[in-house]
Amino acid sequence: MITELSFKAQVPVIDANIGVGHAFNRPAPFETPEELLAEMQRHGVERALIHHQHGVTLSAITGNELLYEWLENHEDVFLPQWMAGPEPDSLKQLQELRAAGKLTNVRLHESGAAGVAFTEWVYADVLEWLQAERIPVWISLADTWDTTWRKSVGTPVTEIMDVLRAFPEMVTVLVGAHYSHSHYVRPFLK
């Protein structure tokens, strides 16, 4: 939690990258939606795109199920970012959310951290569907490199590039870039 920062925006602000809930390896800075809302209000953030940390580190399906708890009674402020994994059940869950009018974007489950390679042949079904439906896919570059320990974690940037090349019409948002990713930005955009 940043307590010494004093920032007030002059335009409406949406935070587009908030992970909520505890991760398996670290506690969340906010225990409840109300605590997060208070911090957002303190900084003048009106709305937030949120995903559940369990969906990043453990299971896309479980993360999506836990996200409902954060959305309850806060749909006017929190915009859900559902997780996508390579499992057939993940695709089924996303298709059900889409049919219910709840799915507008997804964030890829950090497969590399779970020991699953991010490759076209593993993720093809879900990525083909997301591309065909024109659903924006958010991919975190922050999960590719641990700048503190200077080691690779999660999905290598080269795997992300190879997969994106196979799905050129997929709407993709890269988040969490670090200056160490600067050499990758131009090739990604091409």
Side-chain angles (χ1 to χ4, degrees), residues 31-71:
E31 292 280 334
T32 67
E34 290 72 28
E35 290 176 10
L36 175 57
L37 289 168
E39 188 71 5
M40 288 170 52
Q41 184 177 22
R42 192 169 77 80
H43 294 290
V45 176
E46 295 179 14
R47 298 183 83 192
L49 186 63
I50 65 170
H51 60 277
H52 199 282
Q53 289 297 323
H54 274 286
V56 175
T57 57
L58 292 177
S59 160
I61 296 167
T62 302
N64 290 342
E65 291 168 355
L66 292 171
L67 188 58
Y68 279 108
E69 297 171 19
W70 283 78
L71 297 173

Side-chain angles (χ1 to χ4, degrees), residues 108-121:
L108 279 184
H109 166 64
E110 180 43 61
S111 61
V116 178
F118 182 58
T119 61
E120 177 185 356
W121 53 274

Side-chain angles (χ1 to χ4, degrees), residues 59-61 64 83-91 94 107-109 111 122-123 126-127:
S59 160
I61 296 167
N64 290 342
M83 302 300 293
E87 306 86 4
D89 287 344
S90 177
L91 177 56
L94 295 175
R107 184 182 187 99
L108 279 184
H109 166 64
S111 61
V122 172
Y123 277 81
V126 70
L127 295 179

Side-chain angles (χ1 to χ4, degrees), residues 17 107-108 110 138-144 155 160 173-176:
N17 192 22
R107 184 182 187 99
L108 279 184
E110 180 43 61
W138 295 57
I139 300 173
S140 175
L141 293 178
D143 298 330
T144 66
T155 302
I160 294 171
V173 179
L174 300 174
V175 296

Side-chain angles (χ1 to χ4, degrees), residues 120 123-124 127-128 131 162-170 172:
E120 177 185 356
Y123 277 81
L127 295 179
E128 286 170 1
Q131 179 175 262
D162 290 342
V163 172
L164 292 181
R165 191 175 289 127
F167 298 93
E169 299 300 316
M170 189 167 60
T172 308

Side-chain angles (χ1 to χ4, degrees), residues 1-15 18 30 35-47:
M1 178 166 32
I2 302 173
T3 56
E4 64 277 355
L5 179 65
S6 177
F7 170 79
K8 293 291 180 197
Q10 296 179 6
V11 296
V13 176
I14 296 176
D15 189 319
I18 294 182
F30 306 105
E35 290 176 10
L36 175 57
L37 289 168
E39 188 71 5
M40 288 170 52
Q41 184 177 22
R42 192 169 77 80
H43 294 290
V45 176
E46 295 179 14
R47 298 183 83 192

